Amino acid sequence: MKKLRSLFGKNSDPSTEQDNASTQQQEALVSGSDQEPAQQQVNLANPEFQEMDRLRELFQQEKFNEVLQEVEPYRSSLDTYVVKEAYGLTALSYFRLEQYEQARATFEWLAKEYSDINDWFNLMTSAILAGHIDQGMEAYTQAKQLRAQAEDDEGVPIPQMMYYACRALADAKEYDRAFTVLNELMDIYKQLHITDDTFLYMRGVPMLPHAMEAVKIILTARKDKMDIDTWFAMLDASLDEEGREIARQTKQQIIAVQ
């Protein structure tokens, strides 16, 4: 069986992650099915099971419209695993087509039906980008709570949730809310002190240059509302030398924006 690969960047090599804003939002999505087949009581004899593999291949080939056309009958399957996979492929395809309202509605159904961490996370992103800011923030809170209560390393790490919440809120021009979440994320860097890429990656924390992209967007939009010097001084005091240099460069870029 082939599971739908994660579209969330945690499983990628830290040296190859991308900074493009739209790409970041696309990579924020994760498969809603991260459990092994045995844990989900999959009926391997069900021919629909093989169809899910084929549709996942289409998805990976970025044939999203084809997926949407062909997956619909499987959403009414008698096999609960097939139903969840079919709805997941539907939601993910809508998102990749930037049809955020349809993605939001489908992720909402998945999150309420299965209460999966990744579905709540995906609902957060799609709801914010669809303009349902309050619902997106409620989903963000729910995803964090479920992740904190998880007994194993299941689902998107909380620091990554914070990062993608910042990016989605910034894309929606909700800069004040984005700033609140950004400060939560920056507190993690302050606590860790070390900003080495691999060190952060192994702890599920975004690499600092990527986080600084969010900082640049959000603080540039809020320059008239805050003291940039004080904000960076408080951050610099808790970072290692490498981190301070990255932060200094970001500060200079923000100040240079007229």
Side-chain angles (χ1 to χ4, degrees):
M1 174 234 178
K2 298 177 182 178
K3 291 188 291 183
L4 179 64
R5 72 178 178 84
S6 172
L7 296 179
F8 164 68
K10 183 187 176 188
N11 293 329
S12 63
D13 187 305
S15 65
T16 62
E17 292 186 24
Q18 303 178 45
D19 287 320
N20 179 270
S22 62
T23 301
Q24 289 285 351
Q25 290 304 337
Q26 297 294 353
E27 290 183 348
L29 285 175
V30 291
S31 165
S33 174
D34 285 340
Q35 294 178 323
E36 293 300 322
Q39 292 176 300
Q40 297 192 51
Q41 299 180 336
V42 172
N43 178 10
L44 296 175
N46 184 353
E48 294 176 326
F49 184 77
Q50 282 70 40
E51 277 299 294
M52 289 298 101
D53 275 350
R54 186 182 68 80
L55 290 172
R56 280 188 288 270
E57 290 289 343
L58 282 179
F59 182 88
Q60 291 173 356
Q61 294 166 19
E62 300 188 353
K63 297 179 180 179
F64 308 123
N65 284 312
E66 289 185 40
V67 172
L68 289 172
Q69 290 173 1
E70 297 188 35
V71 78
E72 185 173 358
Y74 300 103
R75 285 162 38 185
S76 57
S77 170
L78 297 178
D79 188 312
T80 56
Y81 172 81
V82 171
V83 170
K84 188 176 192 303
E85 287 292 291
Y87 271 93
L89 280 167
T90 299
L92 292 165
S93 296
Y94 278 136
F95 192 98
R96 294 296 296 270
L97 290 168
E98 298 185 4
Q99 297 179 21
Y100 298 125
E101 178 57 34
Q102 293 92 325
R104 180 205 65 79
T106 311
F107 280 129
E108 180 180 34
W109 183 88
L110 282 164
K112 290 181 177 178
E113 186 73 14
Y114 298 101
S115 197
D116 182 280
I117 295 170
N118 293 335
D119 291 330
W120 283 107
F121 170 75
N122 290 334
L123 175 58
M124 171 201 80
T125 305
S126 56
I128 291 172
L129 293 177
H132 298 263
I133 309 301
D134 289 340
Q135 182 184 31
M137 296 310 293
E138 289 170 4
Y140 167 68
T141 299
Q142 182 68 16
K144 286 199 302 179
Q145 289 176 349
L146 289 172
R147 184 64 170 83
Q149 295 165 4
E151 295 181 356
D152 52 21
D153 190 23
E154 175 189 348
V156 181
I158 290 175
Q160 295 282 2
M161 291 185 190
M162 294 174 176
Y163 171 74
Y164 285 112
C166 286
R167 296 301 298 256
L169 288 164
D171 283 352
K173 302 189 185 307
E174 290 281 340
Y175 297 115
D176 288 345
R177 294 204 203 196
F179 183 64
T180 298
V181 179
L182 179 67
N183 283 327
E184 296 175 5
L185 177 59
M186 289 301 108
D187 285 343
I188 293 175
Y189 292 102
K190 293 174 183 177
Q191 292 166 10
L192 292 174
H193 178 67
I194 299 171
T195 61
D196 172 75
D197 286 350
T198 302
F199 176 87
L200 296 175
Y201 173 77
M202 295 301 293
R203 287 157 179 79
V205 180
M207 289 182 287
L208 187 60
H210 292 174
M212 286 296 116
E213 286 298 314
V215 168
K216 185 164 59 176
I217 293 167
I218 296 165
L219 268 60
T220 297
R222 299 186 79 260
K223 276 173 59 173
D224 296 336
K225 294 184 177 182
M226 60 181 296
D227 185 337
I228 299 291
D229 289 333
T230 299
W231 191 90
F232 273 100
M234 293 176 65
L235 178 63
D236 290 352
S238 299
L239 300 181
D240 58 14
E241 181 55 39
E242 180 181 356
R244 287 195 293 272
E245 179 57 31
I246 294 170
R248 279 195 290 267
Q249 292 175 9
T250 303
K251 177 184 173 182
Q252 291 170 359
Q253 291 169 355
I254 294 170
I255 293 174
V257 176
Q258 298 299 322

